[in-house]
Amino acid sequence: GNSVTQMEGPVTLSEEAFLTINCTYTATGYPSLFWYVQYPGEGLQLLLKATKADDKGSNKGFEATYRKETTSFHLEKGSVQVSDSAVYFCALETSYDKVIFGPGTSLSVIP
Amino acid sequence: DADVTQTPRNRITKTGKRIMLECSQTKGHDRMYWYRQDPGLGLRLIYYSFDVKDINKGEISDGYSVSRQAQAKFSLSLESAIPNQTALYFCATSPSSGANVLTFGAGSRLTVL
């Protein structure tokens, strides 16, 4: 079946550090892939997406590349800020147009 | 006003009580969803609706029911609440074409004592 696996959190980084959050998936076909972010006390919002293999999604300094050969969609940012502290969810769209989510990775950035 | 509005934002109730969570949207999207968020489990899909006359069970529909009253309104009911339904509930919408990008409400936190 379809599933999304993310690295365990929480992740704590110093400001300006490099961020990687790993995401791998299991799915049939070529699903669209997403990263959503949830700031404290809020709902999730789309951070970036990629709809086909080798696509790179990017937004607010975050990037992720759709790697079909490794079934991965790792999130990266070169220099994190305190305002990036949030929970990050990797997600995929199944062949039945449903979106399923990974367990989320909590990120704390300290000054 | 928010694109997706959930009411109530917080609710404390007792075991056995009937609870309704409401969701309304101004996005004009056909598709609406109810998810439940639990720590360490991410979001799990309860029910979804692709248009007013379409209702589908998600992965954890037992103990829940839904009603799609209009394109803009989708409510979730717990007929007889139990403590393990304590969670944060999210309503979301998406367009019926293109990549399935979800727009979420701010969430409804439900505590069942």
Side-chain angles (χ1 to χ4, degrees):
Chain A
N2 301 298
S3 66
V4 178
T5 302
Q6 290 180 236
M7 62 187 290
E8 294 283 334
V11 174
T12 302
L13 294 173
S14 297
E15 206 165 23
E16 299 184 1
F18 184 85
L19 169 71
T20 299
I21 300 178
N22 290 335
C23 171
T24 58
Y25 68 90
T26 301
T28 55
Y30 299 90
S32 294
L33 301 174
F34 310 88
W35 277 100
Y36 283 82
V37 59
Q38 183 182 29
Y39 298 104
E42 298 182 11
L44 283 71
Q45 56 186 274
L46 180 70
L47 181 59
L48 53 84
K49 64 178 171 63
T51 57
K52 61 182 186 293
D54 300 324
D55 266 3
K56 176 183 285 188
S58 61
N59 187 25
K60 299 181 181 179
F62 291 89
E63 294 183 339
T65 300
Y66 190 156
R67 302 288 188 196
K68 180 66 177 176
E69 64 276 13
T70 55
T71 61
S72 65
F73 193 53
H74 304 322
L75 182 68
E76 296 182 337
K77 187 175 185 181
S79 176
V80 293
Q81 305 301 311
V82 172
S83 58
D84 293 326
S85 298
V87 181
Y88 293 82
F89 293 91
C90 186
L92 69 81
E93 179 181 6
T94 73
S95 55
Y96 296 100
D97 293 339
K98 296 184 294 183
V99 177
I100 62 171
F101 290 83
T105 301
S106 176
L107 171 66
S108 294
V109 180
I110 56 177
Chain B
D1 289 341
D3 292 328
V4 181
T5 301
Q6 293 184 232
T7 56
R9 294 292 314 279
N10 289 284
R11 182 71 182 268
I12 299 174
T13 190
K14 295 182 179 180
T15 297
K17 294 292 188 181
R18 183 178 187 273
I19 294 295
M20 179 181 287
L21 306 179
E22 298 184 325
C23 176
S24 63
Q25 54 119 342
T26 59
K27 298 286 289 185
H29 289 164
D30 287 324
R31 299 181 174 186
M32 298 188 74
Y33 310 80
W34 277 103
Y35 284 91
R36 167 178 172 160
Q37 183 179 20
D38 297 280
L41 295 178
L43 275 74
R44 293 180 291 169
L45 184 61
I46 306 172
Y47 271 95
Y48 60 104
S49 168
F50 283 175
D51 65 43
V52 175
K53 296 182 179 180
D54 176 72
I55 299 289
N56 303 282
K57 293 182 177 181
E59 58 182 309
I60 55 164
S61 59
D62 287 350
Y64 302 94
S65 62
V66 291
S67 173
R68 184 82 184 266
Q69 299 95 327
Q71 187 207 34
K73 296 183 181 296
F74 193 38
S75 60
L76 176 71
S77 294
L78 290 67
E79 296 301 326
S80 179
I82 57 176
N84 75 1
Q85 292 177 312
T86 293
L88 185 56
Y89 291 85
F90 286 104
C91 176
T93 72
S94 70
S96 53
S97 61
N100 206 358
V101 175
L102 300 175
T103 300
F104 282 84
S108 295
R109 183 168 296 281
L110 176 66
T111 302
V112 184
L113 302 177

